[in-house]
Structure formats: structure tokens, C-alpha cells
Coordinates of all heavy atoms in Angstrom, one line a residue:
M1 N -7.2 -0.8 8.0 CA -5.8 -0.4 7.7 C -4.9 -1.6 8.0 O -5.1 -2.2 9.1 CB -5.3 0.8 8.5 CG -6.1 2.1 8.2 SD -5.3 3.0 6.9 CE -6.3 4.5 7.0
R2 N -3.9 -1.8 7.2 CA -2.9 -2.9 7.4 C -1.6 -2.3 7.0 O -1.4 -1.4 6.2 CB -3.3 -4.1 6.5 CG -4.6 -4.7 6.9 CD -4.8 -6.0 6.2 NE -3.8 -7.0 6.6 CZ -3.8 -8.2 5.9 NH1 -4.7 -8.5 5.0 NH2 -2.9 -9.1 6.2
V3 N -0.5 -2.9 7.6 CA 0.8 -2.5 7.4 C 1.4 -3.6 6.4 O 1.2 -4.8 6.5 CB 1.7 -2.5 8.7 CG1 3.1 -2.2 8.4 CG2 1.1 -1.5 9.6
A4 N 2.1 -3.0 5.4 CA 2.7 -3.9 4.3 C 4.0 -3.3 3.8 O 4.4 -2.2 4.1 CB 1.7 -4.0 3.2
Q5 N 4.8 -4.1 3.1 CA 6.0 -3.7 2.4 C 5.8 -3.8 0.9 O 5.3 -4.8 0.4 CB 7.2 -4.5 2.9 CG 8.5 -4.0 2.3 CD 9.7 -4.7 2.9 OE1 9.6 -5.9 3.3 NE2 10.8 -4.0 2.8
V6 N 6.2 -2.7 0.2 CA 6.1 -2.7 -1.2 C 7.1 -3.6 -1.8 O 8.3 -3.5 -1.5 CB 6.2 -1.3 -1.8 CG1 6.2 -1.3 -3.3 CG2 5.2 -0.3 -1.2
V7 N 6.7 -4.6 -2.6 CA 7.7 -5.6 -3.2 C 7.8 -5.5 -4.7 O 8.6 -6.2 -5.3 CB 7.3 -7.0 -2.8 CG1 7.4 -7.2 -1.2 CG2 5.9 -7.4 -3.2
G8 N 6.9 -4.7 -5.3 CA 7.0 -4.5 -6.8 C 6.0 -3.5 -7.3 O 5.2 -2.9 -6.5
N9 N 6.1 -3.3 -8.6 CA 5.1 -2.4 -9.2 C 4.5 -3.0 -10.5 O 5.1 -4.0 -11.0 CB 5.7 -1.0 -9.5 CG 7.0 -1.1 -10.4 OD1 7.1 -2.0 -11.2 ND2 7.9 -0.2 -10.2
I10 N 3.5 -2.4 -11.0 CA 2.8 -3.0 -12.1 C 2.7 -1.9 -13.2 O 2.4 -0.7 -12.9 CB 1.4 -3.5 -11.8 CG1 1.5 -4.7 -10.8 CG2 0.6 -3.8 -13.0 CD1 0.2 -5.2 -10.4
V11 N 3.0 -2.2 -14.4 CA 2.9 -1.3 -15.6 C 1.8 -1.9 -16.4 O 1.8 -3.0 -16.8 CB 4.2 -1.2 -16.4 CG1 4.0 -0.3 -17.6 CG2 5.3 -0.7 -15.5
S12 N 0.8 -1.0 -16.7 CA -0.4 -1.5 -17.5 C -0.7 -0.4 -18.5 O -1.0 0.8 -18.2 CB -1.6 -1.7 -16.6 OG -2.7 -2.0 -17.4
T13 N -0.6 -0.7 -19.8 CA -0.9 0.3 -20.8 C -2.4 0.3 -21.2 O -2.9 1.3 -21.7 CB -0.1 0.1 -22.1 OG1 -0.3 -1.3 -22.5 CG2 1.4 0.2 -21.8
V14 N -3.1 -0.7 -20.9 CA -4.5 -0.8 -21.2 C -5.3 -1.1 -19.9 O -5.0 -2.1 -19.2 CB -4.9 -1.9 -22.2 CG1 -6.4 -2.0 -22.5 CG2 -4.1 -1.7 -23.5
K15 N -6.1 -0.1 -19.5 CA -6.9 -0.3 -18.3 C -8.1 0.6 -18.3 O -8.3 1.4 -19.2 CB -6.0 0.1 -17.1 CG -5.4 1.5 -17.2 CD -4.3 1.6 -16.1 CE -3.4 2.8 -16.4 NZ -2.2 2.8 -15.6
D16 N -9.0 0.4 -17.4 CA -10.2 1.2 -17.3 C -9.8 2.7 -17.2 O -8.9 3.0 -16.5 CB -11.0 0.8 -16.0 CG -12.3 1.5 -15.9 OD1 -12.3 2.6 -15.4 OD2 -13.3 0.9 -16.3
P17 N -10.6 3.5 -17.9 CA -10.3 5.0 -17.9 C -10.2 5.6 -16.5 O -9.5 6.5 -16.3 CB -11.5 5.6 -18.7 CG -11.9 4.5 -19.6 CD -11.7 3.2 -18.8
S18 N -10.9 5.0 -15.5 CA -10.9 5.6 -14.1 C -9.5 5.3 -13.5 O -9.2 5.9 -12.5 CB -12.0 5.0 -13.2 OG -11.7 3.6 -13.0
H19 N -8.7 4.4 -14.1 CA -7.4 4.1 -13.5 C -6.3 4.9 -14.2 O -5.1 4.7 -13.8 CB -7.1 2.6 -13.6 CG -8.0 1.8 -12.8 ND1 -8.2 0.4 -13.0 CD2 -8.9 2.1 -11.8 CE1 -9.1 -0.1 -12.2 NE2 -9.5 0.9 -11.5
A20 N -6.6 5.7 -15.2 CA -5.6 6.4 -16.0 C -4.8 7.3 -15.0 O -5.4 8.0 -14.2 CB -6.2 7.2 -17.1
G21 N -3.5 7.2 -15.1 CA -2.6 8.1 -14.3 C -2.4 7.6 -12.9 O -1.7 8.2 -12.1
Q22 N -3.0 6.5 -12.5 CA -2.8 5.9 -11.2 C -1.7 4.9 -11.1 O -1.7 4.0 -12.0 CB -4.1 5.3 -10.7 CG -5.3 6.4 -10.6 CD -5.0 7.5 -9.7 OE1 -4.3 7.4 -8.7 NE2 -5.5 8.7 -10.1
K23 N -0.9 4.9 -10.1 CA 0.2 4.0 -10.0 C -0.3 2.7 -9.2 O -0.9 2.9 -8.2 CB 1.4 4.7 -9.2 CG 2.7 3.9 -9.2 CD 3.8 4.8 -8.7 CE 4.2 4.5 -7.3 NZ 5.3 5.3 -6.8
L24 N 0.1 1.6 -9.7 CA -0.3 0.3 -9.0 C 1.0 -0.3 -8.5 O 2.0 -0.4 -9.2 CB -0.9 -0.7 -10.0 CG -2.3 -0.3 -10.5 CD1 -2.7 -1.2 -11.7 CD2 -3.3 -0.3 -9.4
M25 N 0.9 -0.8 -7.2 CA 2.1 -1.4 -6.6 C 1.6 -2.8 -6.1 O 0.5 -3.1 -5.8 CB 2.5 -0.6 -5.4 CG 2.9 0.9 -5.7 SD 4.2 1.0 -6.9 CE 5.6 0.8 -5.9
I26 N 2.6 -3.7 -5.9 CA 2.4 -5.0 -5.2 C 3.0 -4.9 -3.8 O 4.1 -4.5 -3.6 CB 3.1 -6.1 -6.0 CG1 2.7 -6.1 -7.4 CG2 2.9 -7.5 -5.3 CD1 3.5 -7.0 -8.3
V27 N 2.2 -5.3 -2.8 CA 2.6 -5.2 -1.4 C 2.5 -6.6 -0.8 O 1.7 -7.5 -1.3 CB 1.7 -4.3 -0.6 CG1 1.9 -2.8 -1.1 CG2 0.3 -4.7 -0.5
D28 N 3.3 -6.9 0.2 CA 3.3 -8.1 1.0 C 3.0 -7.6 2.4 O 3.7 -6.8 3.0 CB 4.7 -8.8 0.9 CG 4.7 -10.2 1.6 OD1 3.7 -10.5 2.2 OD2 5.6 -10.9 1.4
F29 N 1.8 -8.1 2.9 CA 1.4 -7.7 4.2 C 2.4 -8.2 5.3 O 3.0 -9.2 5.2 CB 0.0 -8.1 4.5 CG -1.0 -7.4 3.6 CD1 -1.6 -8.0 2.6 CD2 -1.3 -6.0 3.9 CE1 -2.5 -7.3 1.7 CE2 -2.2 -5.3 3.1 CZ -2.8 -6.0 2.0
L30 N 2.5 -7.4 6.4 CA 3.4 -7.8 7.5 C 2.5 -8.3 8.7 O 1.4 -7.8 8.9 CB 4.2 -6.5 8.0 CG 5.0 -5.9 6.9 CD1 5.8 -4.7 7.5 CD2 6.0 -6.9 6.2
D31 N 3.1 -9.2 9.5 CA 2.5 -9.7 10.7 C 2.8 -8.7 11.9 O 3.5 -7.7 11.7 CB 2.8 -11.1 11.0 CG 4.3 -11.3 11.3 OD1 5.0 -10.4 11.6 OD2 4.7 -12.5 11.3
G32 N 2.4 -9.1 13.1 CA 2.6 -8.2 14.2 C 4.0 -8.1 14.6 O 4.4 -7.1 15.3
A33 N 4.9 -9.0 14.2 CA 6.3 -8.9 14.5 C 7.1 -8.2 13.3 O 8.3 -8.1 13.4 CB 6.9 -10.3 14.7
G34 N 6.4 -7.7 12.3 CA 7.0 -7.0 11.2 C 7.6 -7.9 10.1 O 8.3 -7.5 9.3
R35 N 7.2 -9.2 10.2 CA 7.7 -10.1 9.1 C 6.7 -10.2 8.0 O 5.5 -10.2 8.2 CB 7.9 -11.5 9.7 CG 9.0 -11.6 10.8 CD 9.1 -13.0 11.3 NE 7.8 -13.5 11.9 CZ 7.6 -13.6 13.2 NH1 8.5 -13.3 14.0 NH2 6.4 -14.0 13.6
R36 N 7.2 -10.4 6.8 CA 6.3 -10.5 5.6 C 5.6 -11.8 5.7 O 6.1 -12.9 6.1 CB 7.1 -10.4 4.3 CG 7.7 -9.0 4.1 CD 8.4 -8.7 2.9 NE 8.6 -9.7 1.9 CZ 9.4 -9.5 0.9 NH1 10.2 -8.4 0.8 NH2 9.5 -10.4 -0.1
T37 N 4.3 -11.8 5.3 CA 3.4 -13.0 5.5 C 3.3 -13.8 4.2 O 2.8 -14.9 4.3 CB 2.0 -12.5 5.9 OG1 1.4 -11.8 4.8 CG2 2.0 -11.8 7.2
G38 N 3.7 -13.2 3.1 CA 3.5 -13.9 1.8 C 2.1 -13.7 1.2 O 1.8 -14.2 0.2
E39 N 1.3 -12.9 1.9 CA 0.0 -12.5 1.5 C 0.1 -11.2 0.6 O 0.2 -10.1 1.2 CB -0.9 -12.3 2.6 CG -2.3 -11.9 2.3 CD -3.2 -11.4 3.4 OE1 -2.8 -11.6 4.6 OE2 -4.3 -11.0 3.2
N40 N 0.2 -11.4 -0.7 CA 0.4 -10.3 -1.6 C -0.9 -9.7 -2.1 O -1.9 -10.4 -2.2 CB 1.3 -10.7 -2.8 CG 2.7 -11.1 -2.4 OD1 3.2 -10.6 -1.4 ND2 3.3 -11.9 -3.1
A41 N -0.9 -8.4 -2.5 CA -2.0 -7.7 -3.1 C -1.5 -6.6 -4.0 O -0.5 -6.1 -3.8 CB -2.9 -7.1 -2.0
V42 N -2.4 -6.3 -5.0 CA -2.2 -5.2 -5.9 C -3.0 -4.0 -5.3 O -4.2 -4.2 -5.0 CB -2.6 -5.5 -7.3 CG1 -2.5 -4.3 -8.2 CG2 -1.8 -6.7 -7.9
V43 N -2.3 -2.9 -5.1 CA -3.0 -1.7 -4.5 C -2.6 -0.5 -5.3 O -1.6 -0.4 -5.9 CB -2.5 -1.6 -3.0 CG1 -2.9 -2.8 -2.2 CG2 -1.0 -1.3 -2.9
F44 N -3.5 0.5 -5.2 CA -3.2 1.8 -5.8 C -2.3 2.5 -4.8 O -2.2 2.2 -3.6 CB -4.5 2.7 -5.9 CG -5.3 2.3 -7.1 CD1 -6.4 1.5 -7.0 CD2 -4.9 2.8 -8.4 CE1 -7.1 1.1 -8.2 CE2 -5.6 2.4 -9.5 CZ -6.7 1.6 -9.4
D45 N -1.5 3.5 -5.3 CA -0.5 4.2 -4.5 C -0.9 5.7 -4.5 O -0.7 6.4 -5.5 CB 0.9 4.0 -5.0 CG 1.9 4.8 -4.2 OD1 1.7 5.2 -3.1 OD2 3.0 4.9 -4.8
A46 N -1.4 6.2 -3.3 CA -1.7 7.6 -3.2 C -0.6 8.3 -2.4 O -0.7 9.5 -2.1 CB -3.0 7.8 -2.5
A47 N 0.5 7.6 -2.1 CA 1.6 8.2 -1.2 C 2.9 8.3 -1.9 O 3.9 8.6 -1.3 CB 1.7 7.4 0.1
Q48 N 3.0 7.9 -3.2 CA 4.3 7.9 -3.9 C 5.3 7.0 -3.3 O 6.5 7.4 -3.1 CB 4.8 9.4 -4.1 CG 3.9 10.3 -4.8 CD 3.4 9.8 -6.2 OE1 4.3 9.4 -6.9 NE2 2.2 9.8 -6.4
A49 N 4.9 5.8 -2.9 CA 5.8 4.8 -2.3 C 6.7 4.2 -3.4 O 6.4 4.2 -4.5 CB 4.9 3.8 -1.6
G50 N 7.7 3.6 -2.9 CA 8.6 2.8 -3.8 C 8.9 1.4 -3.2 O 8.6 1.1 -2.1
V51 N 9.5 0.6 -4.1 CA 9.8 -0.8 -3.7 C 10.7 -0.7 -2.4 O 11.7 0.0 -2.4 CB 10.5 -1.5 -4.8 CG1 11.0 -2.9 -4.4 CG2 9.5 -1.7 -6.0
G52 N 10.4 -1.5 -1.4 CA 11.1 -1.6 -0.2 C 10.5 -0.8 0.9 O 10.7 -1.0 2.1
D53 N 9.6 0.2 0.6 CA 9.0 1.0 1.6 C 8.0 0.2 2.4 O 7.3 -0.7 1.9 CB 8.2 2.2 1.0 CG 9.1 3.3 0.5 OD1 10.3 3.4 0.9 OD2 8.7 4.1 -0.3
V54 N 7.9 0.5 3.7 CA 6.9 0.0 4.6 C 5.7 1.0 4.6 O 6.0 2.2 4.9 CB 7.4 -0.3 6.0 CG1 6.3 -0.8 6.9 CG2 8.5 -1.4 5.9
V55 N 4.5 0.5 4.3 CA 3.4 1.4 4.0 C 2.2 1.1 4.8 O 2.0 -0.1 5.3 CB 3.1 1.4 2.5 CG1 4.2 2.0 1.7 CG2 2.7 0.1 2.0
L56 N 1.3 2.0 4.9 CA 0.0 1.8 5.5 C -1.0 1.7 4.4 O -1.1 2.6 3.5 CB -0.4 3.0 6.4 CG -1.6 2.9 7.3 CD1 -1.5 1.7 8.3 CD2 -1.9 4.2 8.1
V57 N -1.8 0.6 4.4 CA -2.7 0.3 3.3 C -4.1 0.4 3.8 O -4.5 -0.3 4.8 CB -2.5 -1.1 2.7 CG1 -3.5 -1.4 1.6 CG2 -1.0 -1.2 2.2
S58 N -4.9 1.3 3.2 CA -6.3 1.4 3.5 C -7.0 0.2 2.8 O -6.9 0.0 1.6 CB -6.9 2.7 3.0 OG -8.3 2.7 3.1
T59 N -7.8 -0.6 3.5 CA -8.5 -1.7 2.9 C -10.0 -1.4 2.7 O -10.8 -2.3 2.5 CB -8.4 -3.0 3.8 OG1 -8.8 -2.7 5.1 CG2 -6.9 -3.4 3.9
D60 N -10.3 -0.1 2.6 CA -11.7 0.3 2.4 C -11.8 1.0 1.1 O -11.1 2.0 0.8 CB -12.1 1.3 3.5 CG -13.4 2.0 3.4 OD1 -14.2 1.6 2.4 OD2 -13.7 2.9 4.1
G61 N -12.6 0.4 0.2 CA -12.8 0.9 -1.2 C -13.2 2.3 -1.2 O -12.9 3.1 -2.1
G62 N -14.1 2.7 -0.2 CA -14.6 4.1 -0.2 C -13.4 5.1 0.1 O -13.4 6.2 -0.5
A63 N -12.5 4.7 0.9 CA -11.4 5.5 1.2 C -10.5 5.7 0.0 O -9.9 6.7 -0.2 CB -10.6 5.0 2.4
S64 N -10.4 4.6 -0.8 CA -9.6 4.7 -2.0 C -10.1 5.8 -2.9 O -9.3 6.6 -3.5 CB -9.7 3.4 -2.8 OG -9.1 2.3 -2.1
A65 N -11.4 6.0 -3.1 CA -12.0 7.0 -3.9 C -11.6 8.4 -3.3 O -11.3 9.3 -4.1 CB -13.5 6.9 -4.0
I66 N -11.6 8.5 -2.0 CA -11.2 9.8 -1.4 C -9.7 10.1 -1.6 O -9.4 11.2 -2.0 CB -11.5 9.8 0.1 CG1 -13.0 9.7 0.3 CG2 -10.9 11.0 0.8 CD1 -13.4 9.4 1.8
F67 N -8.9 9.1 -1.4 CA -7.4 9.3 -1.6 C -7.1 9.6 -3.0 O -6.2 10.4 -3.3 CB -6.6 8.1 -1.1 CG -6.5 7.9 0.3 CD1 -7.0 6.8 1.0 CD2 -6.0 8.9 1.1 CE1 -6.9 6.6 2.3 CE2 -5.9 8.8 2.5 CZ -6.4 7.6 3.1
L68 N -7.7 9.0 -4.0 CA -7.4 9.1 -5.4 C -8.1 10.3 -6.0 O -7.8 10.6 -7.2 CB -7.6 7.8 -6.1 CG -6.8 6.7 -5.6 CD1 -7.2 5.3 -6.2 CD2 -5.3 6.9 -5.8
G69 N -9.1 10.9 -5.3 CA -9.7 12.1 -5.8 C -10.8 11.9 -6.9 O -11.1 12.8 -7.6
K70 N -11.2 10.7 -7.2 CA -12.2 10.5 -8.2 C -12.8 9.1 -8.0 O -12.4 8.3 -7.1 CB -11.7 10.6 -9.6 CG -10.5 9.7 -9.9 CD -10.0 9.9 -11.3 CE -8.7 9.1 -11.5 NZ -8.2 9.3 -12.9
H71 N -13.8 8.8 -8.8 CA -14.4 7.4 -8.7 C -13.6 6.4 -9.3 O -13.3 6.5 -10.5 CB -15.8 7.5 -9.3 CG -16.8 8.4 -8.6 ND1 -17.1 8.3 -7.3 CD2 -17.4 9.5 -9.0 CE1 -17.9 9.2 -6.9 NE2 -18.2 10.0 -8.0
V72 N -13.1 5.4 -8.6 CA -12.3 4.4 -9.1 C -12.8 3.0 -8.6 O -13.5 3.0 -7.6 CB -10.8 4.5 -8.7 CG1 -10.2 5.7 -9.3 CG2 -10.7 4.5 -7.2
I73 N -12.5 2.0 -9.3 CA -12.8 0.6 -8.9 C -11.6 0.2 -8.1 O -10.5 -0.1 -8.7 CB -13.1 -0.3 -10.1 CG1 -14.2 0.3 -10.9 CG2 -13.3 -1.7 -9.6 CD1 -14.3 -0.4 -12.3
A74 N -11.7 0.2 -6.8 CA -10.5 -0.1 -6.0 C -10.9 -0.7 -4.6 O -11.9 -0.2 -4.0 CB -9.7 1.1 -5.8
D75 N -10.2 -1.6 -4.1 CA -10.4 -2.2 -2.8 C -9.3 -1.6 -1.8 O -9.7 -1.4 -0.6 CB -10.3 -3.7 -2.7 CG -11.4 -4.3 -3.4 OD1 -12.5 -3.8 -3.5 OD2 -11.2 -5.4 -4.0
M76 N -8.1 -1.4 -2.2 CA -7.0 -1.1 -1.3 C -6.1 0.0 -1.9 O -5.9 0.0 -3.1 CB -6.1 -2.3 -1.0 CG -6.9 -3.3 -0.2 SD -5.8 -4.7 0.2 CE -6.2 -5.8 -1.2
T77 N -5.6 0.9 -1.1 CA -4.8 2.0 -1.5 C -3.7 2.3 -0.5 O -4.0 2.3 0.7 CB -5.6 3.3 -1.7 OG1 -6.6 3.0 -2.7 CG2 -4.8 4.5 -2.2
I78 N -2.5 2.5 -0.9 CA -1.4 2.9 0.0 C -1.7 4.4 0.3 O -1.8 5.2 -0.5 CB 0.0 2.8 -0.7 CG1 0.3 1.4 -0.9 CG2 1.0 3.5 0.2 CD1 1.6 1.2 -1.8
C79 N -1.9 4.7 1.6 CA -2.2 6.0 2.1 C -1.1 6.7 2.9 O -1.2 7.8 3.3 CB -3.5 6.1 2.8 SG -3.6 5.0 4.3
G80 N 0.0 6.0 3.1 CA 1.1 6.6 3.9 C 2.3 5.7 3.9 O 2.2 4.5 3.8
I81 N 3.5 6.3 4.0 CA 4.8 5.6 4.1 C 5.2 5.7 5.6 O 5.3 6.8 6.1 CB 5.8 6.2 3.2 CG1 5.4 6.1 1.7 CG2 7.2 5.5 3.4 CD1 6.2 6.9 0.7
L82 N 5.5 4.6 6.2 CA 5.8 4.6 7.6 C 7.3 4.8 7.9 O 8.1 4.3 7.2 CB 5.4 3.3 8.3 CG 3.9 2.9 8.1 CD1 3.6 1.6 8.8 CD2 3.0 4.0 8.7
D83 N 7.5 5.7 8.9 CA 8.9 5.9 9.3 C 9.3 4.9 10.4 O 10.4 4.4 10.5 CB 9.1 7.3 9.9 CG 8.9 8.4 8.8 OD1 9.3 8.1 7.6 OD2 8.4 9.4 9.1
S84 N 8.3 4.7 11.4 CA 8.5 3.8 12.5 C 7.2 3.3 13.1 O 6.2 4.0 12.8 CB 9.4 4.4 13.5 OG 8.7 5.5 14.1
I85 N 7.3 2.3 13.8 CA 6.1 1.8 14.6 C 6.5 1.5 16.0 O 7.6 0.9 16.2 CB 5.5 0.5 14.0 CG1 5.0 0.7 12.6 CG2 4.5 -0.2 14.9 CD1 4.5 -0.5 11.9
C86 N 5.7 1.9 17.0 CA 6.0 1.6 18.4 C 4.9 0.7 18.9 O 3.7 1.0 18.8 CB 6.0 2.9 19.2 SG 6.3 2.6 21.0
L87 N 5.4 -0.5 19.2 CA 4.4 -1.6 19.7 C 4.9 -2.2 21.0 O 6.1 -2.6 21.1 CB 4.3 -2.7 18.6 CG 3.4 -3.8 18.9 CD1 1.9 -3.3 19.0 CD2 3.4 -4.9 17.8
D88 N 4.1 -2.1 22.0 CA 4.5 -2.6 23.3 C 5.8 -1.9 23.8 O 6.6 -2.6 24.4 CB 4.6 -4.1 23.3 CG 3.3 -4.8 23.1 OD1 2.3 -4.2 23.5 OD2 3.3 -5.9 22.5
G89 N 6.0 -0.7 23.5 CA 7.1 0.1 24.0 C 8.4 -0.1 23.2 O 9.4 0.5 23.4
E90 N 8.3 -1.0 22.2 CA 9.5 -1.2 21.3 C 9.3 -0.5 20.0 O 8.3 -0.6 19.3 CB 9.7 -2.7 21.1 CG 10.9 -3.0 20.3 CD 11.1 -4.5 20.1 OE1 10.7 -5.3 21.0 OE2 11.6 -4.9 19.0
I91 N 10.3 0.3 19.6 CA 10.2 1.1 18.4 C 11.0 0.4 17.3 O 12.1 0.0 17.4 CB 10.8 2.5 18.5 CG1 10.0 3.3 19.6 CG2 10.8 3.2 17.2 CD1 10.5 4.6 19.9
K92 N 10.3 0.2 16.2 CA 10.9 -0.4 15.0 C 11.0 0.7 13.9 O 9.9 1.2 13.5 CB 10.2 -1.6 14.5 CG 10.8 -2.2 13.2 CD 10.4 -3.7 13.0 CE 11.2 -4.2 11.8 NZ 11.3 -5.6 11.8
S93 N 12.2 1.0 13.5 CA 12.3 2.1 12.5 C 12.5 1.5 11.1 O 13.2 0.5 10.9 CB 13.5 2.9 12.9 OG 13.7 4.0 11.9
Y94 N 11.9 2.2 10.1 CA 12.0 1.8 8.7 C 12.7 2.8 7.9 O 12.8 2.8 6.7 CB 10.6 1.6 8.1 CG 9.8 0.6 8.9 CD1 8.7 0.9 9.7 CD2 10.1 -0.8 8.8 CE1 8.0 -0.1 10.3 CE2 9.4 -1.7 9.5 CZ 8.3 -1.4 10.2 OH 7.6 -2.3 10.9
F95 N 13.4 3.7 8.6 CA 14.1 4.9 8.0 C 15.4 4.4 7.5 O 16.2 3.8 8.2 CB 14.3 6.0 9.1 CG 14.0 7.3 8.5 CD1 12.7 7.7 8.3 CD2 15.0 8.2 8.2 CE1 12.4 8.9 7.8 CE2 14.7 9.4 7.7 CZ 13.4 9.8 7.5

């Protein structure tokens, strides 16, 4: 699992049938201080996230199949939208 911020979305009219009805988002992963790293990825969205949301990304393809409820070709999936993170006693809120 990794923490990331949603920075965009993708619209695709032609894709593999296993991807039909699935939302694709672009995320920028965050470092330990909560700063964007510039390391972008295209991920499926199982949590109905939007641009600007800070999200939890599963980096396990097997988990993607579970979250999306069917067999898909996927490496990463947004599985939650974060409200806050507490690290070393400091709370960072994304609300």
C-alpha cells in the first residue's frame, strides 16, 4: 500500500472488456512528509476518489481483482480516501 494524491483522470472509449465501467485515475505518490514525489501512475479507482483527494493505493494486482469484483488486468487500485494520517504523533488532515 502507498499514499498518493489524485492529480487527474483518464477517459478511454476503447479498452479491454474487463475494464468496461471501471474508472481510471492518475495519482502522484507522496513521500513520508506528505510531499508529491513526481512519481505518477495510472490506477483503477474502487473508492470513487476525485482530483485532489489523498488516497490509499493497493499495489497488489490480486487485491485489485478483489476490489473491482472481477478478473481485471491491473497492478494498482485506489482502495480508500484518507481523511488524515498520524505519523510520529503529528496529525496531518486532508479534510
Side-chain angles (χ1 to χ4, degrees):
M1 299 266 188
R2 293 187 65 188
V3 177
Q5 184 170 27
V6 178
V7 295
N9 57 29
I10 294 178
V11 177
S12 174
T13 55
V14 179
K15 52 190 163 195
D16 185 275
S18 69
H19 297 165
Q22 300 300 327
K23 190 166 108 179
L24 294 169
M25 305 299 279
I26 302 168
V27 297
D28 189 348
F29 292 105
L30 303 181
D31 65 14
R35 294 181 301 256
R36 292 182 5 190
T37 63
E39 180 187 353
N40 293 333
V42 175
V43 300
F44 281 100
D45 179 17
Q48 302 304 313
V51 173
D53 285 339
V54 175
V55 296
L56 188 61
V57 177
S58 169
T59 56
D60 176 5
S64 295
I66 293 169
F67 285 121
L68 300 172
K70 58 182 173 179
H71 297 301
V72 295
I73 302 166
D75 290 332
M76 292 182 268
T77 301
I78 295 171
C79 58
I81 300 170
L82 302 180
D83 295 326
S84 63
I85 293 177
C86 181
L87 182 63
D88 294 329
E90 185 177 329
I91 298 174
K92 181 161 184 156
S93 178
Y94 299 111
F95 225 76

